[in-house]
Amino acid sequence: MKILVTGGTGFIGSHTCVELLDSGYEVVILDNLSNSQRDVVKKIQTITQKTVHFYEGDCCDKQMVEKIFKEHHIDAVIHFAGYKAVGESVCKPLMYYQNNLMSTLTLCEVMNQYECKQLVFSSSATVYGDPEIVPIDETSKLGPTTNPYGTTKLYIEQILRDLYVSDPSWNIALLRYFNPIGAHASGFIGESPNDIPNNLMPYIVKVANKELPQLHVFGNDYDTHDGTGIRDYIHVVDLAKGHICSINNFLLEHVGVEAYNLGTGFGYSVLDVVHTFMKVNDVDVPYVIDERRPGDIASCYAKTEKAYQELGWKAEKNLNDMCKDAWNYVKHFKLQ
Ligand code: NAD
Ligand code: UD1
């Protein structure tokens, strides 16, 4: 089976390509390299010892997407391509709506044309907005979202539901990721933001690597065990495997359109993560307690039963693994 992976050289996409290839799927990547590097293709091939077909191009470019479908018989698509920085989406909402929505619309149009109707979409726990109850299950209320990035995910989920209503032969998995961190154990691929990171793990890594002086912990007065925010961190390799289970499930049954939480079901505080990172990697991560970050919530973690029961998937790696692999990637990255 041949899978088109849009955004396949990005953080989650690259790990998913490795798992797809290791599971015997053929992989075609479409990525415009707006937030990733071309050499990731080589690294995926080095890890798996398999070949991938790579197209540098934009998923909003219909001719480009058509070219791929003309040249390959695509059985299913995993759609990662999109912008993902929450803060940037607040400053540049049009850019976010344009890219995230248009890439999806263009892709679906071409998929329809070529009778390819199996799609896995990268959604996010951000669609739940500020959850009323944790753990969050898939039937929890959606929105209101707190930023344009989150709204693009909510809109796209709705667009895909409408598409399914119009044509029930579609199979669509909406995968709502919690907080993916970590890296491939080989150290070849991982997350390497160029700018000052907004997210916790890349920031910790830069502090540990002495590229930044200290971590700012955003608030220690939340109603949590140590006062700092709680999230459901999930190893990116576990997350990648969730996509393989979704694709496998399409082969077993007609799914229709279904949303699945991809998280571990466990919540860890900011200080839990910092202390685990220092301990397992034997490094120092100096931190100061700061004000709460606007828009942050106290606690967010997943109920994961649906993915286990229907996809046969559950996360296997723990916080120690996530912290070790995130650091291993940085050490490896420096040597490359
Ligand atoms: P990423 O930025 O590392 O990967 C996205 C890839 O898409 C990049 O390689 C980028 O170059 C490419 N891209 C962007 N727009 C494109 C376009 N129009 N055409 C072709 N390629 C394009 O991000 P990621 O962390 O791997 O996230 C992948 C997906 O998962 C995104 O849709 C993101 O919104 C979603 N997601 C990510 C997280 C997270 O914490 N990383 C959480 C929830 C959901
Ligand atoms: C954010 C996005 C979410 C996105 C996710 C992963 C918001 C509101 N949500 O989630 O849409 O899917 O990233 O990309 O932005 N923290 C610090 N110091 C830091 C950075 C973070 O204390 O320098 C704390 C935060 O307050 C939070 C936790 O660490 O409690 C995790 O933050 P982060 O990694 O940014 O993820 P989220 O805010 O959960």
Side-chain angles (χ1 to χ4, degrees), residues 6-14 30-37 55 57-61 79-85 98-100 102-103 121-126 149 152-153 175-181 190-191 199 236 239 243:
T6 75
T9 46
F11 173 46
I12 306 170
S14 56
L30 169 63
D31 200 301
N32 63 5
L33 305 180
S34 58
N35 196 36
S36 54
Q37 287 76 39
Y55 290 79
D58 202 302
C59 197
C60 305
D61 175 354
H79 181 38
F80 293 106
Y83 296 146
K84 63 162 182 176
Q98 166 69 30
N99 192 40
N100 292 5
M102 281 312 293
S103 60
F121 172 64
S122 294
S123 189
S124 166
T126 193
Y149 161 71
T152 68
K153 294 293 177 192
L175 302 186
R176 296 177 179 157
Y177 313 152
F178 280 67
N179 289 56
I181 58 172
E191 191 176 21
N199 297 121
V236 65
L239 190 70
H243 296 72

Side-chain angles (χ1 to χ4, degrees), residues 151-170:
T151 313
T152 68
K153 294 293 177 192
L154 199 58
Y155 287 175
I156 294 168
E157 285 203 2
Q158 187 58 50
I159 290 168
L160 296 175
R161 287 182 191 283
D162 292 343
L163 179 62
Y164 171 71
V165 169
S166 76
D167 176 358
S169 65
W170 277 83

Side-chain angles (χ1 to χ4, degrees), residues 84 86-87 124-126 146-147 149-150 177-181 191 197-203 215-219 222 228-231 233 270 293-298 300:
K84 63 162 182 176
V86 170
S124 166
T126 193
T146 51
N147 54 74
Y149 161 71
Y177 313 152
F178 280 67
N179 289 56
I181 58 172
E191 191 176 21
N198 296 308
N199 297 121
L200 181 63
M201 183 53 87
Y203 205 106
L215 172 72
H216 297 261
V217 174
F218 298 141
Y222 287 107
T228 65
I230 287 184
R231 296 291 183 273
Y233 297 96
V270 175
R293 182 171 65 177
D296 267 355
I297 53 180
C300 171

Side-chain angles (χ1 to χ4, degrees), residues 253-324:
E253 59 182 305
H254 182 65
V255 175
V257 58
E258 283 296 335
Y260 298 99
N261 285 342
L262 296 190
T264 63
F266 299 104
Y268 289 102
S269 74
V270 175
L271 290 182
D272 289 337
V273 178
V274 173
H275 290 135
T276 305
F277 191 94
M278 291 201 279
K279 188 166 151 224
V280 299
N281 294 316
D282 195 20
V283 288
D284 195 21
V285 179
Y287 63 85
V288 287
I289 305 294
D290 239 325
E291 296 294 302
R292 290 182 178 195
R293 182 171 65 177
D296 267 355
I297 53 180
S299 193
C300 171
Y301 53 99
K303 209 160 186 301
T304 58
E305 278 72 10
K306 186 176 175 188
Y308 184 55
Q309 280 160 11
E310 295 185 18
L311 304 178
W313 172 88
K314 75 174 173 21
E316 281 164 0
K317 292 176 184 283
N318 59 30
L319 188 59
N320 289 356
D321 302 321
M322 301 180 215
C323 291
K324 269 191 210 158

Side-chain angles (χ1 to χ4, degrees), residues 16-236:
T16 303
C17 288
V18 168
E19 296 304 320
L20 282 168
L21 291 160
D22 281 349
S23 306
Y25 289 101
E26 281 188 76
V27 170
V28 180
I29 294 177
L30 169 63
D31 200 301
N32 63 5
L33 305 180
S34 58
N35 196 36
S36 54
Q37 287 76 39
R38 177 183 286 274
D39 68 352
V40 169
V41 176
K42 216 163 60 193
K43 291 176 181 174
I44 293 170
Q45 297 184 146
T46 304
I47 295 169
T48 60
Q49 293 297 301
K50 303 223 169 99
T51 308
V52 295
H53 307 271
F54 175 66
Y55 290 79
E56 182 177 346
D58 202 302
C59 197
C60 305
D61 175 354
K62 194 167 177 204
Q63 283 178 352
M64 183 67 192
V65 183
E66 280 175 338
K67 179 176 155 67
I68 294 173
F69 277 83
K70 268 184 208 138
E71 292 178 6
H72 301 271
H73 177 86
I74 302 291
D75 295 289
V77 179
I78 307 180
H79 181 38
F80 293 106
Y83 296 146
K84 63 162 182 176
V86 170
E88 187 182 49
S89 80
V90 175
C91 303
K92 300 178 180 171
L94 298 182
M95 188 174 108
Y96 271 69
Y97 287 115
Q98 166 69 30
N99 192 40
N100 292 5
L101 269 66
M102 281 312 293
S103 60
T104 309
L105 294 173
T106 308
L107 177 68
C108 290
E109 251 177 61
V110 178
M111 288 176 72
N112 239 338
Q113 252 168 258
Y114 285 82
E115 291 287 323
C116 170
K117 295 182 181 174
Q118 318 228 58
L119 175 66
V120 177
F121 172 64
S122 294
S123 189
S124 166
T126 193
V127 298
Y128 295 115
D130 189 351
E132 280 162 5
I133 301 166
V134 284
I136 306 170
D137 76 17
E138 290 84 351
T139 62
S140 301
K141 185 171 79 58
L142 300 182
T145 46
T146 51
N147 54 74
Y149 161 71
T151 313
T152 68
K153 294 293 177 192
L154 199 58
Y155 287 175
I156 294 168
E157 285 203 2
Q158 187 58 50
I159 290 168
L160 296 175
R161 287 182 191 283
D162 292 343
L163 179 62
Y164 171 71
V165 169
S166 76
D167 176 358
S169 65
W170 277 83
N171 263 324
I172 303 172
L174 310 170
L175 302 186
R176 296 177 179 157
Y177 313 152
F178 280 67
N179 289 56
I181 58 172
H184 194 264
S186 66
F188 277 110
I189 52 173
E191 191 176 21
S192 43
N194 294 325
D195 302 331
I196 293 182
N198 296 308
N199 297 121
L200 181 63
M201 183 53 87
Y203 205 106
I204 289 178
V205 162
K206 290 217 176 213
V207 173
N209 207 26
K210 302 194 184 335
E211 294 170 58
L212 292 168
Q214 61 193 5
L215 172 72
H216 297 261
V217 174
F218 298 141
N220 68 348
D221 56 352
Y222 287 107
D223 184 16
T224 62
H225 65 271
D226 61 17
T228 65
I230 287 184
R231 296 291 183 273
D232 187 336
Y233 297 96
I234 173 167
H235 197 294
V236 65

